[in-house]
Amino acid sequence: MITPLLPTYARMPVAFERAEGMYMYDTNGKKYLDFYSGIGVMCLGHCHPTLVNALKDQADKLWHTSNIYQIPEGERLAQRLIDASFADTVFFTNSGAESIECAIKMVRKYHHDKGNKGRYRMITMASAFHGRTLAGIAAAGQEKMIAGFEPVPDGFDVVPFGDLEAVKAAITPETGGIMVEPVQGEGGIRPLPLETLRGLREIADENNLLLVFDEIQCGMGRTGKLWAHEWAGINADIVTAAKGIGGGFPMGACLATEEAASGMVVGTHGTTYGGNPLAMAVGNAVLDEMLKPEFFEHVVKMGEMLFARLQGLQQRHSNFVSEVRGSGLMAGIRLPDVPTRPAVTDLISRGFCPAPAGDSVIRMLPPLILDESHIDEAVSIFDEAFTDWAKNGVPGV
Ligand SMILES: *Cc1c(COP(=O)(O)O)cnc(C)c1O
């Protein structure tokens, strides 16, 4: 019999009831260290007072109006995001997938309005993730997501991960843009080398292509800068955001330069909920915390510490861990011979919550507010688990 919730997820055997800061508590009162933060969403940890207060205050005033009216808190949030980054304009959405959709439409409309109607194609990279809409799964091009849902929209050319020569070779007179995650999340915490990001910028400039960075997972401070592409010292034409931008409130954004957004005039795009007063109140509260001096320095420092401790873990347990990779507080350890799902289920039973990702990687996206004690706690749980697996057998094998 089908379950009341459409059974598209193989859910872990745990349900949480409440949470605070770095910890979640399940329905039996057991405590868990959260190193996933709901896929990097809870960037300020759980129930951060600034966010809770912003949401409660706004809930007493006004929840939702419509984008046919002005929304001053949205204008303020857009301006703050613009002041902090490459962008000149922002479209607010409810999710990452909708931010991607806006970006794709923006690229097509840009070339259309420049008189290049046929330039609708975008180059993307293998093992990417761009959301679950038809365009999103077409853009990622992964068979496991597309199978059974064909036909998906045309217009995406997938090249091997990080291969600049393949990007160049894929450009045709129909190509309008390039879209990549500066650090792949679902694909297994794979950072694109900074010189590759710079190479993409050059290729885009030489061929009049718009460069879209999907920063839905790696953006909003996750790598220690507001946007991950900033590490390469380059600008984007378009950036998609979601996840951390609402700190747990469902929202997303598509940010763009004035030039890239030039086709998106009145009537070309819209959303009912996107940018509503509740979301904007929380979004502003997220920035209140994130743009405080030393917030990003803390992320960088904790990221370096986490990376070093995970390398130590790899040395102690090289029988399991073949690689440590990531950027800032987006970290993965690769366990080529351990099935990641049962491994993560085992770690969860020990009161620690990372998550599986592609390429046999256990992924960590802890709240950005963590301190050294949480890193120590995480690494000691890994130590304990790996020692146990070496003695008693690997979960799921
Ligand atoms: C999560 C994610 C998306 C999709 O976001 P949703 O909010 O689930 O629609 C797209 N791209 C990347 C890189 C993501 O991590």
Side-chain angles (χ1 to χ4, degrees):
M1 204 170 50
I2 196 162
T3 46
L5 289 173
L6 190 73
T8 57
Y9 281 95
R11 294 171 194 267
M12 304 277 172
V14 64
F16 297 103
E17 197 168 58
R18 65 188 182 87
E20 199 188 335
M22 292 294 302
Y23 293 95
M24 301 190 287
Y25 299 84
D26 73 10
T27 43
N28 300 314
K30 187 177 164 189
K31 185 179 177 185
Y32 298 79
L33 175 64
D34 187 4
F35 258 51
Y36 191 40
S37 35
I39 328 187
V41 167
M42 307 306 293
C43 56
L44 300 176
H46 294 274
C47 295
H48 191 288
T50 305
L51 271 58
V52 172
N53 290 333
L55 185 67
K56 284 182 174 166
D57 284 352
Q58 189 61 42
D60 283 333
K61 283 196 288 200
L62 179 71
W63 290 27
H64 178 83
T65 55
S66 161
N67 283 311
I68 71 165
Y69 307 116
Q70 293 179 16
I71 302 177
E73 281 296 275
E75 284 168 32
R76 189 165 89 88
L77 180 54
Q79 187 61 53
R80 294 174 80 190
L81 288 167
I82 289 164
D83 291 344
S85 58
F86 74 97
D88 302 312
T89 188
V90 182
F91 183 84
F92 289 113
T93 67
N94 315 289
S95 68
E98 288 161 287
S99 304
I100 295 285
E101 187 75 10
C102 181
I104 295 168
K105 286 178 73 176
M106 194 179 276
V107 169
R108 291 189 179 190
K109 192 66 164 46
Y110 173 82
H111 291 293
H112 171 278
D113 286 15
K114 298 273 174 196
N116 299 312
K117 287 186 189 152
R119 294 188 68 173
Y120 70 101
R121 304 191 71 83
M122 290 172 79
I123 296 170
T124 59
M125 278 182 186
S127 65
F129 184 77
H130 300 299
R132 294 292 197 142
T133 58
L134 287 170
I137 62 177
Q142 293 195 45
E143 182 55 26
K144 65 173 185 201
M145 289 193 282
I146 291 175
F149 294 109
E150 302 90 345
V152 293
D154 174 37
F156 301 95
D157 299 303
V158 185
V159 301
F161 178 79
D163 188 339
L164 288 180
E165 289 310 311
V167 171
K168 284 185 203 155
I171 296 170
T172 72
E174 294 184 331
T175 308
I178 301 171
M179 178 163 70
V180 299
E181 299 159 80
V183 185
Q184 286 191 347
E186 304 302 311
I189 312 292
R190 291 180 211 241
L192 274 174
L194 299 182
E195 56 273 28
T196 307
L197 292 174
R198 290 190 276 266
L200 289 172
R201 180 71 269 173
E202 275 169 33
I203 293 170
D205 289 343
E206 280 160 16
N207 296 278
N208 184 26
L209 307 176
L210 293 178
L211 183 55
V212 183
F213 288 128
D214 179 352
E215 298 233 13
I216 291 167
Q217 198 160 142
C218 62
M220 288 307 292
R222 178 63 43 197
T223 67
K225 289 192 187 282
L226 186 60
W227 307 117
H229 74 263
E230 291 172 16
W231 288 106
I234 52 166
N235 280 333
D237 298 309
I238 301 172
V239 159
T240 57
K243 297 202 164 96
I245 199 171
F249 194 91
M251 68 173 282
C254 180
L255 296 85
T257 62
E258 183 165 13
E259 173 71 5
S262 57
M264 303 304 280
V265 297
V266 170
T268 53
H269 198 47
T271 165
T272 298
Y273 286 126
N276 90 357
L278 269 184
M280 297 301 96
V282 182
N284 272 303
V286 169
L287 283 193
D288 288 345
E289 292 299 320
M290 197 172 279
L291 297 181
K292 277 184 181 164
E294 283 154 40
F295 186 92
F296 293 139
E297 277 141 74
H298 176 77
V299 176
V300 170
K301 196 167 145 216
M302 289 300 113
E304 283 167 0
M305 192 179 286
L306 176 63
F307 205 82
R309 302 282 162 92
L310 291 174
Q311 282 176 323
L313 185 77
Q314 177 186 7
Q315 273 160 20
R316 290 191 296 283
H317 303 279
S318 54
N319 50 331
F320 291 128
V321 184
S322 70
E323 196 184 340
V324 178
R325 62 197 191 200
S327 174
L329 286 171
M330 192 168 182
I333 56 172
R334 186 157 187 271
L335 281 67
D337 303 319
V338 181
T340 43
R341 245 195 94 78
V344 165
T345 308
D346 178 277
L347 290 162
I348 291 174
S349 75
R350 296 170 195 269
F352 172 54
C353 300
D359 196 32
S360 302
V361 163
I362 292 184
R363 162 170 51 159
M364 285 158 269
L365 304 165
L368 306 178
I369 52 144
L370 88 175
D371 64 35
E372 183 169 10
S373 71
H374 305 112
I375 295 176
D376 287 343
E377 189 180 342
V379 170
S380 74
I381 294 173
F382 271 129
D383 263 321
E384 180 192 288
F386 293 163
T387 305
D388 194 16
W389 300 352
K391 219 160 77 194
N392 299 315
V394 168
V397 172

